[in-house]
Amino acid sequence: MFSISPIPENDEEAWDEFDDREEANEDSEMPPHPKMVELIKKLTEKYPCVTKVPESEIDNVIWADGPLENNIIGDLAILAVAFSKIEESFDHVVETAKSLGIVCYDPQEEVIYRP
């Protein structure tokens, strides 16, 4: 899960704010934020979207769904990585987001990675 900064310093408040922003963005049908579009562009340079690879390579894709652009909700993105691919891709995904000034939320570990 990703969001555009700033977010609250307190992690609990930041998680709550993410949920509130997700609901507000869905209700308003906000267009994709350019930074989120750039995030997906950068991530798919290394890890192609499941919709962009031949059927024979789908098992090698890290993403659990696609097209990834459909997972942008305004200034938020919810990108699911296949559990078996997390270890190989996690650092790259987090560092790419941070390099673009984007916050990365890890709901599995309940950790927030700020830029």
Side-chain angles (χ1 to χ4, degrees):
M1 299 180 353
F2 304 89
S3 76
I4 303 298
S5 294
I7 64 168
E9 291 293 320
N10 176 283
D11 283 356
E12 186 174 327
E13 290 174 15
W15 286 104
D16 289 343
E17 183 200 54
F18 185 95
D19 292 339
D20 292 344
R21 285 168 68 183
E22 180 182 15
E23 186 175 320
N25 287 1
E26 285 177 349
D27 290 344
S28 69
E29 298 180 16
M30 291 178 63
H33 190 285
K35 276 192 172 186
M36 291 304 176
V37 173
E38 180 69 11
L39 174 65
I40 289 175
K41 179 179 175 254
K42 295 267 186 204
L43 290 175
T44 57
E45 287 173 1
K46 182 168 184 171
Y47 300 113
C49 181
V50 67
T51 62
K52 306 289 184 191
V53 299
E55 180 118 6
S56 61
E57 295 180 29
I58 286 181
D59 289 342
N60 298 325
V61 175
I62 71 163
W63 308 110
D65 70 352
L68 296 178
E69 295 83 6
N70 290 353
N71 295 330
I72 302 173
I73 307 167
D75 61 356
L76 305 176
I78 301 174
L79 306 178
V81 176
F83 185 74
S84 63
K85 304 289 185 181
I86 289 174
E87 191 171 314
E88 78 180 65
S89 62
F90 186 79
D91 290 342
H92 177 74
V93 170
V94 171
E95 290 307 314
T96 300
K98 288 170 51 177
S99 75
L100 294 170
I102 295 173
V103 180
C104 179
Y105 302 76
D106 177 356
Q108 298 294 349
E109 299 294 326
E110 297 184 2
V111 176
I112 298 173
Y113 299 91
R114 292 170 171 83

